[in-house]
Amino acid sequence: MFFTYLRRELRRRRKAALVVASGLALGIALVIVVNSVSAGMGKAQEKVLQSLYGLGTDMTVTKAAEASAAQERPRFRFDAQEDGSGEEQSTDHVMVQGFQTLASSTVGEVGEQSGVADAVGGLSLQVVKVSGEFTRGRFQQDGGQDGRSGQKGGPGGAQPAPEGRVQGGGADFDVNSYSVYGTDVTEPELGPLTSSRITSGRTFKASETDAKVAVVDSAHAKEKKLETGDTVTVKGTKYKIIGIATADSGDAAAHLYIPLKQAQELADAKGKVTTIYVRATDSQQLDAVKSGIQKNVAGTTVTTSADLADTVSGSLSTASSLATGVGKWLSIAVLAAAFLVAGLLTSSAVSRRVREFGTLKALGWTSGRVTRQVVGEAVVHGLVGGALGIALGLAGAYAVTAVSPTLQAQLGGGGGGAGGPAGGPGGGGMAGPVRQAATKTLDVALTAPVSLITIALAVGLAVAGGLVAGAFGGWRASRLRPADALRRVA
């Protein structure tokens, strides 16, 4: 009897049911889109952080800034040539990024700390290459005289200096700067290289700890027209290119990757690292691990992914703030309004059915049965609205993903951490590759993935909306008396 009456009433009041369902659908659709976009923002931020830290890295450990540390200034020396003209000369100056290093033994200390699953060190370098040639000028005397001014000899018979000028000559030099990262090839699961895919050739082997091999970032390889099998020369040492890596975020941590031991030799930094990449046993306990490392390993600064996320700015940060703040509050407000409107419409519909419900009570229906009937109809309205809302929400999320608007992420940060030679000591507490990437703007395509949890939330909201509307109408219906129906009978 319940379902028969329910089906008949829903068919008879299709327009009213559609109005209530549509209101709920809009609120539910907005919730789905906002949650999906927020999830997409989270993935975009993770992508940015992975491009800086490396996949699987929870935190980095660097040397604490020293206020008294002196900056190293690059100096370039060129040998004198016999004629000084026409022969190209070049020199490489290799500097440690940030001029702050830790002893390699610190990697072991960090790895022994409670909550640390794995730790690996790396050395970030900046190479400044100056190349070009000198051209000797020619001296030309005034008045066309051959090295003489026409004046008489001075006292003691000395000849006066010829008068004239030097024409031509000079120097033409090109300055090229690029980054080199020394990676521990025995630990391929941690570090900045893990955020890149090998698109040509191969990555390092565990046995190549001191091999003269290199992996080149694809953008740098394209600019310099490099391929696997070619060689690159750094400070007179030739490295064979074994692979080309493409960064997932579009911006690599370094232009060139070589084994850690080779990087230490280039920079005269034997037994030194600039960055220790750490993976925690439990990603939910990062604060405790961070505190333990800073307490037990002296002279270090620990930066977690959460710390780094606070420095992300640009349109990605702005859109994320809008999605998590304004978007969520807007969806809550719209959903609350939809529930309220559905309740009022249901209550209004009950008022127009006074004669019907009064007659049913006169025939023996109890107030509870009438209330259940009204609530049942409202729940069906909510489920229909939920189905429509899920369809609209999925369509909206698909549209966002299909369009894939590009957002920009910029890393601001603490002090002077530039990737070039001007970077000061300890700038901002971020090391090598992170320091370099902080000066870049990353373009990230926004997606809006819809999870099963979001769908379940939509169904729950649909049922909740129906119950809220049913509560309004059921309360009104329970107060009706059979006498009210008899008074309205013509």
Side-chain angles (χ1 to χ4, degrees), residues 307-333:
D307 297 332
L308 197 58
D310 292 338
T311 70
V312 176
S313 61
S315 59
L316 173 60
S317 178
T318 303
S320 180
S321 299
L322 289 174
T324 56
V326 178
K328 285 187 176 180
W329 281 111
L330 178 62
S331 62
I332 291 173

Side-chain angles (χ1 to χ4, degrees), residues 419-430:
M430 292 183 289

Side-chain angles (χ1 to χ4, degrees), residues 363-394:
L363 294 175
W365 280 40
T366 63
S367 295
R369 187 176 180 181
V370 172
T371 300
R372 286 194 297 274
Q373 193 69 43
V374 174
V375 172
E377 294 177 14
V379 169
V380 172
H381 294 164
L383 292 175
V384 173
L388 292 174
I390 291 174
L392 289 174
L394 289 175

Side-chain angles (χ1 to χ4, degrees), residues 206-226:
S207 60
E208 295 175 326
T209 55
D210 198 20
K212 292 180 174 58
V213 292
V215 173
V216 184
D217 173 57
S218 58
H220 185 66
K222 183 178 180 181
E223 178 186 353
K224 301 299 181 181
K225 296 180 174 57
L226 299 173

Side-chain angles (χ1 to χ4, degrees), residues 325-463:
V326 178
K328 285 187 176 180
W329 281 111
L330 178 62
S331 62
I332 291 173
V334 171
L335 194 63
F339 283 6
L340 180 61
V341 170
L344 292 176
L345 289 175
T346 303
S347 178
S348 176
V350 169
S351 299
R352 293 194 296 271
R353 297 168 66 184
V354 171
R355 185 171 61 181
E356 175 187 342
F357 290 136
T359 303
L360 291 175
K361 283 191 172 184
L363 294 175
W365 280 40
T366 63
S367 295
R369 187 176 180 181
V370 172
T371 300
R372 286 194 297 274
Q373 193 69 43
V374 174
V375 172
E377 294 177 14
V379 169
V380 172
H381 294 164
L383 292 175
V384 173
L388 292 174
I390 291 174
L392 289 174
L394 289 175
Y398 175 78
V400 172
T401 303
V403 174
S404 297
T406 300
L407 300 177
Q408 289 185 337
Q410 296 173 339
L411 280 179
M430 292 183 289
V434 177
R435 184 188 302 274
Q436 178 194 4
T439 64
K440 294 182 179 179
T441 298
L442 304 181
D443 292 329
V444 184
L446 176 64
T447 60
V450 181
S451 64
L452 292 177
I453 295 178
T454 303
I455 298 296
L457 175 64
V459 174
L461 290 175
V463 174

Side-chain angles (χ1 to χ4, degrees), residues 96-410:
V96 174
Q97 288 263 21
F99 310 107
Q100 296 283 344
T101 58
L102 294 166
S104 296
S105 59
T106 311
V107 179
E109 292 183 50
V110 171
E112 293 171 356
Q113 299 302 308
S114 175
V116 175
D118 199 5
V120 60
L123 184 66
S124 183
L125 307 175
Q126 191 75 18
V127 180
V128 180
K129 183 180 182 67
V130 178
S131 59
E133 60 184 29
F134 293 101
T135 303
R136 174 174 292 182
R138 295 179 179 275
F139 180 78
Q140 182 177 354
Q141 295 183 7
D142 292 337
Q145 297 183 15
D146 185 16
R148 298 181 181 180
S149 62
Q151 299 178 2
K152 296 181 180 181
Q159 294 291 333
E163 296 181 358
R165 60 182 180 276
V166 177
Q167 292 185 334
D172 183 14
F173 281 81
D174 179 54
V175 179
N176 183 29
S177 175
Y178 60 95
S179 56
V180 177
Y181 186 76
T183 182
D184 189 340
V185 298
T186 64
E187 296 281 353
E189 301 300 324
L190 278 176
L193 187 55
T194 59
S195 64
S196 298
R197 295 175 290 105
I198 301 297
T199 51
S200 178
R202 62 175 178 86
T203 188
F204 299 105
K205 296 179 181 178
S207 60
E208 295 175 326
T209 55
D210 198 20
K212 292 180 174 58
V213 292
V215 173
V216 184
D217 173 57
S218 58
H220 185 66
K222 183 178 180 181
E223 178 186 353
K224 301 299 181 181
K225 296 180 174 57
L226 299 173
E227 297 178 350
T228 54
D230 293 345
T231 59
V232 291
T233 302
V234 183
K235 203 177 180 180
T237 303
K238 292 185 177 181
Y239 294 90
K240 182 180 178 181
I241 299 175
I242 59 173
I244 306 295
T246 301
D248 291 334
S249 67
D251 287 275
H255 296 110
L256 192 69
Y257 301 88
I258 60 176
L260 176 59
K261 188 175 291 187
Q262 284 292 315
Q264 291 170 337
E265 290 180 5
L266 284 176
D268 294 326
K270 186 177 181 180
K272 301 291 185 180
V273 296
T274 51
T275 315
I276 301 174
Y277 296 87
V278 179
R279 179 190 292 126
T281 54
D282 185 358
S283 60
Q284 304 301 316
Q285 302 296 325
L286 295 185
D287 289 338
V289 178
K290 174 181 177 179
S291 299
I293 295 174
Q294 289 182 324
K295 178 181 178 181
N296 300 323
V297 184
T300 60
T301 297
V302 183
T303 306
T304 67
S305 53
D307 297 332
L308 197 58
D310 292 338
T311 70
V312 176
S313 61
S315 59
L316 173 60
S317 178
T318 303
S320 180
S321 299
L322 289 174
T324 56
V326 178
K328 285 187 176 180
W329 281 111
L330 178 62
S331 62
I332 291 173
V334 171
L335 194 63
F339 283 6
L340 180 61
V341 170
L344 292 176
L345 289 175
T346 303
S347 178
S348 176
V350 169
S351 299
R352 293 194 296 271
R353 297 168 66 184
V354 171
R355 185 171 61 181
E356 175 187 342
F357 290 136
T359 303
L360 291 175
K361 283 191 172 184
L363 294 175
W365 280 40
T366 63
S367 295
R369 187 176 180 181
V370 172
T371 300
R372 286 194 297 274
Q373 193 69 43
V374 174
V375 172
E377 294 177 14
V379 169
V380 172
H381 294 164
L383 292 175
V384 173
L388 292 174
I390 291 174
L392 289 174
L394 289 175
Y398 175 78
V400 172
T401 303
V403 174
S404 297
T406 300
L407 300 177
Q408 289 185 337
Q410 296 173 339

